Amino acid sequence: MSDDSRPSPAGTRTAAVIPAAGRGVRLGPGAPKALRALGGTPMLIHAVRAMAASRAVSLVVVVAPPDGAPEVKSLLDAHALPERTDFLVVPGGDSRQESVKLGLDALPPDYDIVLVHDAARPLVPVDTVDAVIEAVREGSPAVVPALPLADTVKEVEPAGEPGEPEPVVATPERARLRAVQTPQGFDRATLIHAHETVTDDVTDDASMIEQLGLQVVVVPGHEEAFKVTRPLDLVLAEAVLARRRLNDGF
Ligand code: CTP
Ligand code: MG
């Protein structure tokens, strides 16, 4: 048995904050993204189960759509979670950053490692979650799972109008780039300090730690930790679930 699969060593407790308050504009019209069904179960429930699957995680804080906290609470009551996992639901804010902050504000004092995980990444495998926790336990204040890129990336001068040709400014060396996923793992005090200090708009939590001048490290991510963003991602997510069901059947 690897160390990852054991419950927390004495003195370390891990909580997961799941921002789930977004509308899912890029997915198109419908319910808030986190509440859309995947394999008949809301995406958020998959994401909560993915965090609770780690024996180290003893609390999940779900940040619900601003007016959807009661609905999310009853959803969580209706779906089984492991007995060792508690959960809390708080209403979210206008930006992801604000929602994460509201989740952190609700954290009880006795957790020293915090994971932040997008509800929109419902299928992250438990081994990825455990690898992130392990790297924080080993002393990194901020850990992100990430994958090498398949596509070459160009930096452009963004066009004023949609569809206009955009001049290329640079082509970063692909081998040095990583596409970042969640859960990102943090020393709790460091993450809270970052959220209190950094006011710039950011698209992930680790970049706030970078702005503090602290070292962020990358560990291997997983293909199945992709973010459900556009309609085609739902097709892929259903296919991953179908493959898991098939594999479980044999
Ligand atoms: N999120 C949040 N609060 C917000 C905005 C986003 O908690 N005000 C959460 C989303 O629910 C999602 C995660 O942050 O789990 C990643 O955001 P993204 O994939 O961009 O989701 P949405 O913002 O919902 O999608 P879109 O940008 O297409 O509207
Ligand atoms: Mg968004």
Side-chain angles (χ1 to χ4, degrees):
M1 191 192 270
S2 78
D3 186 54
D4 306 345
S5 56
R6 281 195 235 136
S8 312
T12 56
R13 298 188 77 198
T14 302
V17 172
I18 303 189
R23 298 196 10 244
V25 173
R26 288 169 289 178
L27 205 50
K33 181 160 73 176
L35 304 182
R36 306 255 195 129
L38 267 188
T41 303
M43 201 178 309
L44 171 64
I45 297 295
H46 289 280
V48 171
R49 285 183 173 151
M51 295 301 104
S54 168
R55 294 175 53 83
V57 173
S58 50
L59 172 69
V60 177
V61 179
V62 175
V63 187
D67 54 0
E71 185 187 348
V72 165
K73 200 165 179 326
S74 20
L75 260 184
L76 287 164
D77 285 329
H79 289 84
L81 289 177
E83 285 234 349
R84 61 173 183 271
T85 318
D86 286 334
F87 65 84
L88 282 172
V89 180
V90 297
D94 287 340
S95 67
R96 182 186 183 282
Q97 207 169 344
E98 219 179 298
S99 294
V100 172
K101 173 87 165 63
L102 290 164
L104 293 175
D105 288 346
L107 265 188
D110 49 346
Y111 289 87
D112 40 20
I113 296 178
V114 181
L115 303 179
V116 181
H117 181 61
D118 293 329
R121 299 182 190 271
L123 302 179
V124 59
V126 68
D127 286 356
T128 307
V129 181
D130 282 334
V132 169
I133 296 169
E134 192 53 27
V136 181
R137 280 183 182 166
E138 279 171 4
S140 295
V143 178
V144 303
L147 290 177
L149 297 185
D151 293 324
T152 296
V153 170
K154 303 276 184 206
E155 182 182 347
V156 299
E157 193 55 57
E161 295 296 320
E164 282 283 300
E166 301 173 311
V168 169
V169 175
T171 304
E173 187 190 340
R174 189 176 65 191
R176 293 177 63 86
L177 299 177
R178 299 289 180 267
V180 166
Q181 303 177 323
T182 72
Q184 301 189 350
F186 303 92
D187 165 64
R188 177 222 180 103
T190 306
L191 181 61
I192 288 179
H193 177 58
H195 271 271
E196 282 166 355
T197 325
V198 177
T199 50
D200 300 4
D201 283 347
V202 292
T203 54
D204 78 335
D205 299 277
S207 53
M208 307 176 94
I209 309 292
E210 292 163 52
Q211 289 197 35
L212 294 180
L214 296 173
Q215 181 70 68
V216 175
V217 298
V218 161
V219 298
H222 196 285
E223 268 190 321
E224 294 183 1
F226 67 94
K227 187 152 70 84
V228 175
T229 306
R230 299 182 191 86
L232 192 59
D233 299 322
L234 280 176
V235 178
L236 180 59
E238 293 287 358
V240 170
L241 280 176
R243 183 173 72 178
R244 284 185 188 175
R245 272 189 223 109
L246 255 183
N247 290 342
D248 288 349
F250 287 98

mmCIF file with all atom_site columns, all heavy atoms in Angstrom, residues 120-139:
data_model
loop_
_atom_site.group_PDB
_atom_site.id
_atom_site.type_symbol
_atom_site.label_atom_id
_atom_site.label_alt_id
_atom_site.label_comp_id
_atom_site.label_asym_id
_atom_site.label_entity_id
_atom_site.label_seq_id
_atom_site.pdbx_PDB_ins_code
_atom_site.Cartn_x
_atom_site.Cartn_y
_atom_site.Cartn_z
_atom_site.occupancy
_atom_site.B_iso_or_equiv
_atom_site.pdbx_formal_charge
_atom_site.auth_seq_id
_atom_site.auth_comp_id
_atom_site.auth_asym_id
_atom_site.auth_atom_id
_atom_site.pdbx_PDB_model_num
ATOM 1   N N   . ALA A 1 120 ? -16.117 21.409 -12.455 1.00 0.00 ? 120 ALA A N   1
ATOM 2   C CA  . ALA A 1 120 ? -16.146 21.118 -13.890 1.00 0.00 ? 120 ALA A CA  1
ATOM 3   C C   . ALA A 1 120 ? -15.103 20.072 -14.298 1.00 0.00 ? 120 ALA A C   1
ATOM 4   O O   . ALA A 1 120 ? -14.965 19.767 -15.482 1.00 0.00 ? 120 ALA A O   1
ATOM 5   C CB  . ALA A 1 120 ? -15.926 22.412 -14.663 1.00 0.00 ? 120 ALA A CB  1
ATOM 6   N N   . ARG A 1 121 ? -14.386 19.504 -13.315 1.00 0.00 ? 121 ARG A N   1
ATOM 7   C CA  . ARG A 1 121 ? -13.456 18.385 -13.606 1.00 0.00 ? 121 ARG A CA  1
ATOM 8   C C   . ARG A 1 121 ? -13.930 17.170 -12.825 1.00 0.00 ? 121 ARG A C   1
ATOM 9   O O   . ARG A 1 121 ? -13.294 16.732 -11.859 1.00 0.00 ? 121 ARG A O   1
ATOM 10  C CB  . ARG A 1 121 ? -12.019 18.750 -13.214 1.00 0.00 ? 121 ARG A CB  1
ATOM 11  C CG  . ARG A 1 121 ? -11.482 19.955 -13.982 1.00 0.00 ? 121 ARG A CG  1
ATOM 12  C CD  . ARG A 1 121 ? -10.037 20.249 -13.593 1.00 0.00 ? 121 ARG A CD  1
ATOM 13  N NE  . ARG A 1 121 ? -9.599  21.508 -14.140 1.00 0.00 ? 121 ARG A NE  1
ATOM 14  C CZ  . ARG A 1 121 ? -9.032  21.643 -15.344 1.00 0.00 ? 121 ARG A CZ  1
ATOM 15  N NH1 . ARG A 1 121 ? -8.825  20.598 -16.108 1.00 0.00 ? 121 ARG A NH1 1
ATOM 16  N NH2 . ARG A 1 121 ? -8.665  22.837 -15.772 1.00 0.00 ? 121 ARG A NH2 1
ATOM 17  N N   . PRO A 1 122 ? -15.075 16.613 -13.253 1.00 0.00 ? 122 PRO A N   1
ATOM 18  C CA  . PRO A 1 122 ? -15.743 15.596 -12.426 1.00 0.00 ? 122 PRO A CA  1
ATOM 19  C C   . PRO A 1 122 ? -15.038 14.245 -12.410 1.00 0.00 ? 122 PRO A C   1
ATOM 20  O O   . PRO A 1 122 ? -15.314 13.430 -11.544 1.00 0.00 ? 122 PRO A O   1
ATOM 21  C CB  . PRO A 1 122 ? -17.126 15.466 -13.093 1.00 0.00 ? 122 PRO A CB  1
ATOM 22  C CG  . PRO A 1 122 ? -16.907 15.887 -14.517 1.00 0.00 ? 122 PRO A CG  1
ATOM 23  C CD  . PRO A 1 122 ? -15.859 16.965 -14.457 1.00 0.00 ? 122 PRO A CD  1
ATOM 24  N N   . LEU A 1 123 ? -14.136 13.994 -13.336 1.00 0.00 ? 123 LEU A N   1
ATOM 25  C CA  . LEU A 1 123 ? -13.650 12.626 -13.526 1.00 0.00 ? 123 LEU A CA  1
ATOM 26  C C   . LEU A 1 123 ? -12.189 12.439 -13.123 1.00 0.00 ? 123 LEU A C   1
ATOM 27  O O   . LEU A 1 123 ? -11.571 11.427 -13.475 1.00 0.00 ? 123 LEU A O   1
ATOM 28  C CB  . LEU A 1 123 ? -13.871 12.197 -14.989 1.00 0.00 ? 123 LEU A CB  1
ATOM 29  C CG  . LEU A 1 123 ? -15.338 12.271 -15.456 1.00 0.00 ? 123 LEU A CG  1
ATOM 30  C CD1 . LEU A 1 123 ? -15.461 11.847 -16.913 1.00 0.00 ? 123 LEU A CD1 1
ATOM 31  C CD2 . LEU A 1 123 ? -16.243 11.411 -14.577 1.00 0.00 ? 123 LEU A CD2 1
ATOM 32  N N   . VAL A 1 124 ? -11.632 13.377 -12.374 1.00 0.00 ? 124 VAL A N   1
ATOM 33  C CA  . VAL A 1 124 ? -10.216 13.233 -11.978 1.00 0.00 ? 124 VAL A CA  1
ATOM 34  C C   . VAL A 1 124 ? -10.036 11.952 -11.151 1.00 0.00 ? 124 VAL A C   1
ATOM 35  O O   . VAL A 1 124 ? -10.784 11.703 -10.217 1.00 0.00 ? 124 VAL A O   1
ATOM 36  C CB  . VAL A 1 124 ? -9.731  14.483 -11.203 1.00 0.00 ? 124 VAL A CB  1
ATOM 37  C CG1 . VAL A 1 124 ? -10.549 14.724 -9.937  1.00 0.00 ? 124 VAL A CG1 1
ATOM 38  C CG2 . VAL A 1 124 ? -8.252  14.336 -10.845 1.00 0.00 ? 124 VAL A CG2 1
ATOM 39  N N   . PRO A 1 125 ? -9.055  11.117 -11.516 1.00 0.00 ? 125 PRO A N   1
ATOM 40  C CA  . PRO A 1 125 ? -8.830  9.874  -10.766 1.00 0.00 ? 125 PRO A CA  1
ATOM 41  C C   . PRO A 1 125 ? -8.223  10.140 -9.387  1.00 0.00 ? 125 PRO A C   1
ATOM 42  O O   . PRO A 1 125 ? -7.496  11.121 -9.195  1.00 0.00 ? 125 PRO A O   1
ATOM 43  C CB  . PRO A 1 125 ? -7.829  9.103  -11.649 1.00 0.00 ? 125 PRO A CB  1
ATOM 44  C CG  . PRO A 1 125 ? -7.849  9.776  -12.980 1.00 0.00 ? 125 PRO A CG  1
ATOM 45  C CD  . PRO A 1 125 ? -8.195  11.206 -12.702 1.00 0.00 ? 125 PRO A CD  1
ATOM 46  N N   . VAL A 1 126 ? -8.510  9.243  -8.452  1.00 0.00 ? 126 VAL A N   1
ATOM 47  C CA  . VAL A 1 126 ? -8.045  9.422  -7.073  1.00 0.00 ? 126 VAL A CA  1
ATOM 48  C C   . VAL A 1 126 ? -6.520  9.437  -6.981  1.00 0.00 ? 126 VAL A C   1
ATOM 49  O O   . VAL A 1 126 ? -5.953  10.119 -6.115  1.00 0.00 ? 126 VAL A O   1
ATOM 50  C CB  . VAL A 1 126 ? -8.663  8.366  -6.130  1.00 0.00 ? 126 VAL A CB  1
ATOM 51  C CG1 . VAL A 1 126 ? -8.143  6.958  -6.444  1.00 0.00 ? 126 VAL A CG1 1
ATOM 52  C CG2 . VAL A 1 126 ? -8.385  8.707  -4.673  1.00 0.00 ? 126 VAL A CG2 1
ATOM 53  N N   . ASP A 1 127 ? -5.838  8.741  -7.872  1.00 0.00 ? 127 ASP A N   1
ATOM 54  C CA  . ASP A 1 127 ? -4.372  8.737  -7.812  1.00 0.00 ? 127 ASP A CA  1
ATOM 55  C C   . ASP A 1 127 ? -3.798  10.137 -8.039  1.00 0.00 ? 127 ASP A C   1
ATOM 56  O O   . ASP A 1 127 ? -2.765  10.491 -7.460  1.00 0.00 ? 127 ASP A O   1
ATOM 57  C CB  . ASP A 1 127 ? -3.784  7.786  -8.870  1.00 0.00 ? 127 ASP A CB  1
ATOM 58  C CG  . ASP A 1 127 ? -3.975  6.326  -8.478  1.00 0.00 ? 127 ASP A CG  1
ATOM 59  O OD1 . ASP A 1 127 ? -4.490  6.075  -7.363  1.00 0.00 ? 127 ASP A OD1 1
ATOM 60  O OD2 . ASP A 1 127 ? -3.642  5.449  -9.290  1.00 0.00 ? 127 ASP A OD2 1
ATOM 61  N N   . THR A 1 128 ? -4.439  10.913 -8.879  1.00 0.00 ? 128 THR A N   1
ATOM 62  C CA  . THR A 1 128 ? -3.992  12.288 -9.111  1.00 0.00 ? 128 THR A CA  1
ATOM 63  C C   . THR A 1 128 ? -4.211  13.128 -7.851  1.00 0.00 ? 128 THR A C   1
ATOM 64  O O   . THR A 1 128 ? -3.335  13.904 -7.447  1.00 0.00 ? 128 THR A O   1
ATOM 65  C CB  . THR A 1 128 ? -4.761  12.901 -10.310 1.00 0.00 ? 128 THR A CB  1
ATOM 66  O OG1 . THR A 1 128 ? -4.642  12.020 -11.424 1.00 0.00 ? 128 THR A OG1 1
ATOM 67  C CG2 . THR A 1 128 ? -4.237  14.273 -10.673 1.00 0.00 ? 128 THR A CG2 1
ATOM 68  N N   . VAL A 1 129 ? -5.368  12.955 -7.227  1.00 0.00 ? 129 VAL A N   1
ATOM 69  C CA  . VAL A 1 129 ? -5.685  13.682 -5.988  1.00 0.00 ? 129 VAL A CA  1
ATOM 70  C C   . VAL A 1 129 ? -4.637  13.345 -4.929  1.00 0.00 ? 129 VAL A C   1
ATOM 71  O O   . VAL A 1 129 ? -4.066  14.232 -4.280  1.00 0.00 ? 129 VAL A O   1
ATOM 72  C CB  . VAL A 1 129 ? -7.100  13.287 -5.473  1.00 0.00 ? 129 VAL A CB  1
ATOM 73  C CG1 . VAL A 1 129 ? -7.441  14.067 -4.204  1.00 0.00 ? 129 VAL A CG1 1
ATOM 74  C CG2 . VAL A 1 129 ? -8.158  13.498 -6.556  1.00 0.00 ? 129 VAL A CG2 1
ATOM 75  N N   . ASP A 1 130 ? -4.342  12.065 -4.773  1.00 0.00 ? 130 ASP A N   1
ATOM 76  C CA  . ASP A 1 130 ? -3.378  11.632 -3.752  1.00 0.00 ? 130 ASP A CA  1
ATOM 77  C C   . ASP A 1 130 ? -1.967  12.128 -4.053  1.00 0.00 ? 130 ASP A C   1
ATOM 78  O O   . ASP A 1 130 ? -1.214  12.463 -3.135  1.00 0.00 ? 130 ASP A O   1
ATOM 79  C CB  . ASP A 1 130 ? -3.393  10.102 -3.630  1.00 0.00 ? 130 ASP A CB  1
ATOM 80  C CG  . ASP A 1 130 ? -4.596  9.601  -2.834  1.00 0.00 ? 130 ASP A CG  1
ATOM 81  O OD1 . ASP A 1 130 ? -5.105  10.367 -1.992  1.00 0.00 ? 130 ASP A OD1 1
ATOM 82  O OD2 . ASP A 1 130 ? -5.030  8.457  -3.059  1.00 0.00 ? 130 ASP A OD2 1
ATOM 83  N N   . ALA A 1 131 ? -1.610  12.177 -5.327  1.00 0.00 ? 131 ALA A N   1
ATOM 84  C CA  . ALA A 1 131 ? -0.260  12.646 -5.690  1.00 0.00 ? 131 ALA A CA  1
ATOM 85  C C   . ALA A 1 131 ? -0.087  14.120 -5.311  1.00 0.00 ? 131 ALA A C   1
ATOM 86  O O   . ALA A 1 131 ? 0.985   14.539 -4.852  1.00 0.00 ? 131 ALA A O   1
ATOM 87  C CB  . ALA A 1 131 ? -0.008  12.442 -7.182  1.00 0.00 ? 131 ALA A CB  1
ATOM 88  N N   . VAL A 1 132 ? -1.147  14.904 -5.492  1.00 0.00 ? 132 VAL A N   1
ATOM 89  C CA  . VAL A 1 132 ? -1.093  16.332 -5.134  1.00 0.00 ? 132 VAL A CA  1
ATOM 90  C C   . VAL A 1 132 ? -0.952  16.480 -3.620  1.00 0.00 ? 132 VAL A C   1
ATOM 91  O O   . VAL A 1 132 ? -0.093  17.222 -3.126  1.00 0.00 ? 132 VAL A O   1
ATOM 92  C CB  . VAL A 1 132 ? -2.358  17.064 -5.653  1.00 0.00 ? 132 VAL A CB  1
ATOM 93  C CG1 . VAL A 1 132 ? -2.463  18.474 -5.069  1.00 0.00 ? 132 VAL A CG1 1
ATOM 94  C CG2 . VAL A 1 132 ? -2.359  17.102 -7.179  1.00 0.00 ? 132 VAL A CG2 1
ATOM 95  N N   . ILE A 1 133 ? -1.764  15.749 -2.864  1.00 0.00 ? 133 ILE A N   1
ATOM 96  C CA  . ILE A 1 133 ? -1.713  15.828 -1.398  1.00 0.00 ? 133 ILE A CA  1
ATOM 97  C C   . ILE A 1 133 ? -0.320  15.421 -0.905  1.00 0.00 ? 133 ILE A C   1
ATOM 98  O O   . ILE A 1 133 ? 0.268   16.078 -0.035  1.00 0.00 ? 133 ILE A O   1
ATOM 99  C CB  . ILE A 1 133 ? -2.784  14.911 -0.769  1.00 0.00 ? 133 ILE A CB  1
ATOM 100 C CG1 . ILE A 1 133 ? -4.185  15.390 -1.143  1.00 0.00 ? 133 ILE A CG1 1
ATOM 101 C CG2 . ILE A 1 133 ? -2.623  14.845 0.760   1.00 0.00 ? 133 ILE A CG2 1
ATOM 102 C CD1 . ILE A 1 133 ? -5.300  14.410 -0.786  1.00 0.00 ? 133 ILE A CD1 1
ATOM 103 N N   . GLU A 1 134 ? 0.197   14.362 -1.486  1.00 0.00 ? 134 GLU A N   1
ATOM 104 C CA  . GLU A 1 134 ? 1.503   13.854 -1.059  1.00 0.00 ? 134 GLU A CA  1
ATOM 105 C C   . GLU A 1 134 ? 2.607   14.914 -1.239  1.00 0.00 ? 134 GLU A C   1
ATOM 106 O O   . GLU A 1 134 ? 3.444   15.102 -0.370  1.00 0.00 ? 134 GLU A O   1
ATOM 107 C CB  . GLU A 1 134 ? 1.836   12.582 -1.861  1.00 0.00 ? 134 GLU A CB  1
ATOM 108 C CG  . GLU A 1 134 ? 3.005   11.801 -1.340  1.00 0.00 ? 134 GLU A CG  1
ATOM 109 C CD  . GLU A 1 134 ? 2.909   11.441 0.148   1.00 0.00 ? 134 GLU A CD  1
ATOM 110 O OE1 . GLU A 1 134 ? 1.780   11.322 0.674   1.00 0.00 ? 134 GLU A OE1 1
ATOM 111 O OE2 . GLU A 1 134 ? 3.960   11.313 0.780   1.00 0.00 ? 134 GLU A OE2 1
ATOM 112 N N   . ALA A 1 135 ? 2.553   15.612 -2.376  1.00 0.00 ? 135 ALA A N   1
ATOM 113 C CA  . ALA A 1 135 ? 3.588   16.620 -2.639  1.00 0.00 ? 135 ALA A CA  1
ATOM 114 C C   . ALA A 1 135 ? 3.475   17.794 -1.659  1.00 0.00 ? 135 ALA A C   1
ATOM 115 O O   . ALA A 1 135 ? 4.484   18.378 -1.259  1.00 0.00 ? 135 ALA A O   1
ATOM 116 C CB  . ALA A 1 135 ? 3.495   17.114 -4.079  1.00 0.00 ? 135 ALA A CB  1
ATOM 117 N N   . VAL A 1 136 ? 2.244   18.128 -1.239  1.00 0.00 ? 136 VAL A N   1
ATOM 118 C CA  . VAL A 1 136 ? 2.094   19.193 -0.225  1.00 0.00 ? 136 VAL A CA  1
ATOM 119 C C   . VAL A 1 136 ? 2.626   18.690 1.114   1.00 0.00 ? 136 VAL A C   1
ATOM 120 O O   . VAL A 1 136 ? 3.357   19.399 1.808   1.00 0.00 ? 136 VAL A O   1
ATOM 121 C CB  . VAL A 1 136 ? 0.618   19.648 -0.086  1.00 0.00 ? 136 VAL A CB  1
ATOM 122 C CG1 . VAL A 1 136 ? 0.507   20.764 0.956   1.00 0.00 ? 136 VAL A CG1 1
ATOM 123 C CG2 . VAL A 1 136 ? 0.061   20.126 -1.421  1.00 0.00 ? 136 VAL A CG2 1
ATOM 124 N N   . ARG A 1 137 ? 2.286   17.454 1.439   1.00 0.00 ? 137 ARG A N   1
ATOM 125 C CA  . ARG A 1 137 ? 2.782   16.878 2.711   1.00 0.00 ? 137 ARG A CA  1
ATOM 126 C C   . ARG A 1 137 ? 4.296   16.854 2.749   1.00 0.00 ? 137 ARG A C   1
ATOM 127 O O   . ARG A 1 137 ? 4.906   16.984 3.808   1.00 0.00 ? 137 ARG A O   1
ATOM 128 C CB  . ARG A 1 137 ? 2.284   15.437 2.857   1.00 0.00 ? 137 ARG A CB  1
ATOM 129 C CG  . ARG A 1 137 ? 0.855   15.347 3.336   1.00 0.00 ? 137 ARG A CG  1
ATOM 130 C CD  . ARG A 1 137 ? 0.488   13.888 3.510   1.00 0.00 ? 137 ARG A CD  1
ATOM 131 N NE  . ARG A 1 137 ? -0.891  13.734 3.916   1.00 0.00 ? 137 ARG A NE  1
ATOM 132 C CZ  . ARG A 1 137 ? -1.544  12.582 3.879   1.00 0.00 ? 137 ARG A CZ  1
ATOM 133 N NH1 . ARG A 1 137 ? -0.936  11.481 3.432   1.00 0.00 ? 137 ARG A NH1 1
ATOM 134 N NH2 . ARG A 1 137 ? -2.795  12.520 4.270   1.00 0.00 ? 137 ARG A NH2 1
ATOM 135 N N   . GLU A 1 138 ? 4.895   16.705 1.571   1.00 0.00 ? 138 GLU A N   1
ATOM 136 C CA  . GLU A 1 138 ? 6.355   16.649 1.538   1.00 0.00 ? 138 GLU A CA  1
ATOM 137 C C   . GLU A 1 138 ? 6.997   18.038 1.578   1.00 0.00 ? 138 GLU A C   1
ATOM 138 O O   . GLU A 1 138 ? 8.218   18.156 1.498   1.00 0.00 ? 138 GLU A O   1
ATOM 139 C CB  . GLU A 1 138 ? 6.817   15.844 0.321   1.00 0.00 ? 138 GLU A CB  1
ATOM 140 C CG  . GLU A 1 138 ? 6.723   14.347 0.617   1.00 0.00 ? 138 GLU A CG  1
ATOM 141 C CD  . GLU A 1 138 ? 6.948   13.454 -0.584  1.00 0.00 ? 138 GLU A CD  1
ATOM 142 O OE1 . GLU A 1 138 ? 7.257   13.980 -1.677  1.00 0.00 ? 138 GLU A OE1 1
ATOM 143 O OE2 . GLU A 1 138 ? 6.793   12.232 -0.421  1.00 0.00 ? 138 GLU A OE2 1
ATOM 144 N N   . GLY A 1 139 ? 6.168   19.074 1.645   1.00 0.00 ? 139 GLY A N   1
ATOM 145 C CA  . GLY A 1 139 ? 6.735   20.389 1.926   1.00 0.00 ? 139 GLY A CA  1
ATOM 146 C C   . GLY A 1 139 ? 6.524   21.463 0.875   1.00 0.00 ? 139 GLY A C   1
ATOM 147 O O   . GLY A 1 139 ? 6.958   22.594 1.071   1.00 0.00 ? 139 GLY A O   1
#
